[in-house]
Amino acid sequence: QKEVEQNSGPLSVPEGAIASLNCTYSDRGSQSFFWYRQYSGKSPELIMSIYSNGDKEDGRFTAQLNKASQYVSLLIRDSQPSDSATYLCAVSFLGGNTPLVFGKGTRLSVIA
Amino acid sequence: EPEVTQTPSHQVTQMGQEVILRCVPISNHLYFYWYRQILGQKVEFLVSFYNNEISEKSEIFDDQFSVERPDGSNFTLKIRSTKLEDSAMYFCASSHRGVLLTEAFFGQGTRLTVV
């Protein structure tokens, strides 16, 4: 059974701080990793994707992947109240167009 | 910016009735998916569709479910005889054909309520 694990939170950070969200996955052969943001009652919105070890930066977001530790994280710099949402980690275990396995998500609350 | 669109946004149906959820994927995408999310739970894969046939399906996708691409733009999910436990948000997603890193984009969802 392929599993993706996330701390459900809530994670509370003050406005302007760095939010750090973590995810572990069960299958060492996993290929592609994604972070989605989901506001309450809305659909998942893709914010970052990564498939090679190391860091990938896009604006205020940095995804970090460590395949040896089976660990992927998302850093949000200069957190804003509008970043308050649930962040879903998703893994494509075989890469390509194979289905995503989602974690339960971490709820982030940015306090103004 | 191209997006996946789903209709209806909310569907209420009686137990035992058939429902059809509709999706228009992003126009140059070749892979289509249905996922569902029961309230308070994780997003779960149902089925993927490529080249006019199912490419993968989960254990959830039993004989009560079917998918179809009736024309060049629509992609539908049919639930033949709805049960109370089918109540959930149903998301359609689409992606390019990819080798390693293929990003899937989700529609806004259909909230299905079975009463």
Side-chain angles (χ1 to χ4, degrees):
Chain A
Q1 183 79 348
K2 293 179 169 54
E3 298 284 346
V4 176
E5 300 289 341
Q6 296 181 255
N7 189 321
S8 61
L11 172 67
S12 295
V13 299
E15 184 175 357
I18 295 175
S20 177
L21 303 157
N22 305 313
C23 170
T24 58
Y25 57 93
S26 61
D27 191 326
R28 185 171 291 277
S30 300
Q31 297 289 331
S32 313
F33 308 87
F34 306 86
W35 284 99
Y36 286 83
R37 177 174 62 199
Q38 187 176 34
Y39 293 110
S40 182
K42 303 295 185 183
S43 63
E45 176 193 3
L46 180 66
I47 52 173
M48 289 292 292
S49 60
I50 188 167
Y51 69 94
S52 55
N53 278 325
D55 295 0
K56 179 181 177 183
E57 187 175 316
D58 184 359
R60 296 187 296 113
F61 299 100
T62 299
Q64 299 174 315
L65 175 61
N66 183 326
K67 288 188 175 181
S69 301
Q70 294 173 234
Y71 178 93
V72 57
S73 65
L74 179 70
L75 301 179
I76 307 174
R77 287 181 298 282
D78 188 24
S79 296
Q80 301 297 309
S82 57
D83 294 326
S84 298
T86 298
Y87 288 80
L88 309 179
C89 176
V91 177
S92 175
F93 285 92
L94 296 177
N97 297 100
T98 55
L100 298 173
V101 178
F102 282 83
K104 286 186 176 179
T106 298
R107 191 155 54 92
L108 173 67
S109 178
V110 181
I111 312 298
Chain B
E1 187 171 316
E3 58 181 18
V4 177
T5 57
Q6 291 184 243
T7 54
S9 55
H10 192 186
Q11 172 98 41
V12 181
T13 188
Q14 288 205 322
M15 194 167 54
Q17 295 296 303
E18 173 184 288
V19 294
I20 298 176
L21 310 183
R22 292 181 166 81
C23 168
V24 179
I26 294 172
S27 62
N28 61 349
H29 283 183
L30 298 177
Y31 278 79
F32 316 122
Y33 312 84
W34 284 101
Y35 289 82
R36 80 171 184 191
Q37 186 176 31
I38 295 170
L39 187 63
Q41 298 189 23
K42 61 173 70 174
V43 176
E44 301 174 289
F45 167 73
L46 294 178
V47 65
S48 59
F49 193 85
Y50 170 71
N51 201 24
N52 285 319
E53 60 183 22
I54 290 173
S55 47
E56 284 191 63
K57 60 182 181 179
S58 71
E59 291 175 355
I60 303 168
F61 194 88
D62 62 21
D63 292 344
Q64 293 299 313
F65 292 88
S66 61
V67 289
E68 197 177 39
R69 188 154 162 82
D71 54 43
S73 59
N74 289 284
F75 178 51
T76 63
L77 174 69
K78 183 193 290 186
I79 309 175
R80 241 178 294 279
S81 178
T82 49
K83 304 190 270 289
L84 294 176
E85 54 265 37
D86 293 327
S87 295
M89 281 288 285
Y90 287 80
F91 297 111
C92 175
S94 70
S95 64
H96 288 291
R97 182 171 184 182
V99 174
L100 190 61
L101 183 67
T102 308
E103 296 175 337
F105 296 90
F106 283 69
Q108 80 278 19
T110 294
R111 180 175 300 283
L112 176 64
T113 303
V114 182
V115 297

